Amino acid sequence: MPEAPLPEAAFTFLRQPNPAVMATVTSKGKPVSVPTWYLIEDDGRIMLCMNSDRARLKHLRSNGYVSLTVLDPTNWGTHLSVQGHVVSIEPDEGFVNIDRLSQHFHGKEYPAKDSPLVTVHLEIDRWLGWAGGRASQF
């Protein structure tokens, strides 16, 4: 896996509202994966939002490493996987970041604003692109 930074073509791919799956590790070392929304920020960090009571948040707090695989929606054989670490976990005051994610993926504000949310920023450590049955530099 190449180390960060990502090439511009990878940023272009990540800027699209592509389906993604994040993986964390429990305190007992068991892997857990869930579909998720994400945004690549201008500084190269990845932003995620989640309910403050989610198990994956507990995993990120105890072991700050995460893997995120972003899939091309028309060809899942083309994907970009990143491994990174948490650099911040903050409350999503006013649901600003979940609204950014919802706008990006659905073109409208997030409707369920009855539970506290947190924003997690990840710094990318390594990445791997895959297309056409082989590693891709994007």
Side-chain angles (χ1 to χ4, degrees), residues 113-132:
K113 296 181 177 174
D114 53 349
S115 298
L117 300 177
V118 296
T119 300
V120 176
H121 278 98
L122 310 171
E123 187 166 313
I124 297 170
D125 298 321
R126 302 179 327 165
W127 63 276
L128 177 66
W130 196 263

Side-chain angles (χ1 to χ4, degrees), residues 65-82:
Y65 292 99
V66 63
S67 179
L68 181 76
T69 296
V70 179
L71 305 160
D72 180 327
T74 63
N75 176 4
W76 288 17
T78 298
H79 59 272
L80 179 68
S81 294
V82 299

Side-chain angles (χ1 to χ4, degrees), residues 93-116:
E93 300 291 343
F95 302 97
V96 172
N97 288 319
I98 194 66
D99 280 342
R100 287 176 59 208
L101 283 164
S102 188
Q103 286 287 348
H104 183 68
F105 280 89
H106 293 294
K108 58 186 176 184
E109 287 188 0
Y110 190 68
K113 296 181 177 174
D114 53 349
S115 298

Side-chain angles (χ1 to χ4, degrees), residues 10-135:
F11 273 105
T12 299
F13 181 74
L14 291 175
R15 287 184 184 111
Q16 304 305 310
N18 294 322
V21 177
M22 71 177 283
T24 58
V25 179
T26 70
S27 61
K28 296 186 182 206
K30 295 182 180 190
V32 177
S33 62
V34 294
T36 194
W37 288 346
Y38 71 94
L39 278 177
I40 184 86
E41 303 279 24
D42 290 340
D43 66 2
R45 292 180 174 172
I46 292 179
M47 188 261 287
L48 308 168
C49 282
M50 59 197 74
N51 287 63
S52 61
D53 62 351
R54 291 289 184 236
R56 61 186 144 159
L57 180 59
K58 180 181 174 185
H59 305 161
L60 291 174
R61 284 190 166 131
S62 67
N63 173 342
Y65 292 99
V66 63
S67 179
L68 181 76
T69 296
V70 179
L71 305 160
D72 180 327
T74 63
N75 176 4
W76 288 17
T78 298
H79 59 272
L80 179 68
S81 294
V82 299
Q83 293 177 352
H85 64 277
V86 173
V87 293
S88 68
I89 299 174
E90 302 289 335
D92 185 9
E93 300 291 343
F95 302 97
V96 172
N97 288 319
I98 194 66
D99 280 342
R100 287 176 59 208
L101 283 164
S102 188
Q103 286 287 348
H104 183 68
F105 280 89
H106 293 294
K108 58 186 176 184
E109 287 188 0
Y110 190 68
K113 296 181 177 174
D114 53 349
S115 298
L117 300 177
V118 296
T119 300
V120 176
H121 278 98
L122 310 171
E123 187 166 313
I124 297 170
D125 298 321
R126 302 179 327 165
W127 63 276
L128 177 66
W130 196 263
R134 65 177 64 103

